[in-house]
Amino acid sequence: MPEVDVIDETFLAVPPSSVAAAFADPGAWRRFWPDLDLAVYADRGEEGLRWTVRGGLVGTMEVWLEPVLDGTVLHYFLRADFPPGATGRPLKEISRRQRAAKAVALELKFVLEDGRPPGVAPGRV
């Protein structure tokens, strides 16, 4: 079982293609996860990405984009351990990574929805 196991879900009132585009640029990854070095091992297009993780943690991370109603549920999974030789506090790290995951999701929600209320078609706000 990994030392750090984080799961998060957030609904965004935009299509999966919009959310996928936000994760398509590797430059954005460094902004979202500054202490992690990511390497894609599965690019699932509009369904998301899977990465191997190195740096501050070692393991895997996934963003799964699920179409739901008029938007997307952004599922986030991080399963990792501290790097070899590093000592960490798992509960503190889990809490920190949970807050960081929600911050990424809410930032994307704010930017991508651009004030769009649920149930209103994109571009009609």
Side-chain angles (χ1 to χ4, degrees):
M1 186 162 143
E3 294 172 295
V4 177
D5 192 356
V6 175
I7 299 171
D8 186 68
E9 297 176 330
T10 304
F11 181 79
L12 288 84
V14 296
S17 59
S18 297
V19 184
F23 289 106
D25 176 18
W29 308 344
R30 182 61 62 189
R31 188 169 52 82
F32 294 149
W33 304 286
D35 66 328
L36 301 179
D37 297 318
L38 306 177
V40 174
Y41 73 86
D43 184 342
R44 299 170 2 125
E46 290 187 12
E47 293 182 347
L49 292 162
R50 292 178 180 154
W51 297 275
T52 57
V53 176
R54 300 279 182 260
L57 296 171
V58 177
T60 62
M61 186 167 69
E62 176 179 359
V63 169
W64 168 39
L65 307 176
E66 178 185 18
V68 175
L69 301 173
D70 66 337
T72 305
V73 174
L74 166 60
H75 301 271
Y76 171 81
F77 305 94
L78 172 65
R79 293 182 177 97
D81 295 312
F82 293 101
T87 57
R89 297 177 53 200
L91 293 179
K92 185 175 182 178
E93 187 67 13
I94 289 168
S95 178
R96 183 173 85 86
R97 298 293 175 167
Q98 287 170 329
R99 289 190 311 274
K102 191 53 81 176
V104 168
L106 293 178
E107 175 187 334
L108 290 175
K109 184 173 185 65
F110 178 77
V111 170
L112 297 177
E113 289 182 2
D114 191 28
R116 173 187 170 215
V120 175
R124 295 188 183 174
V125 175

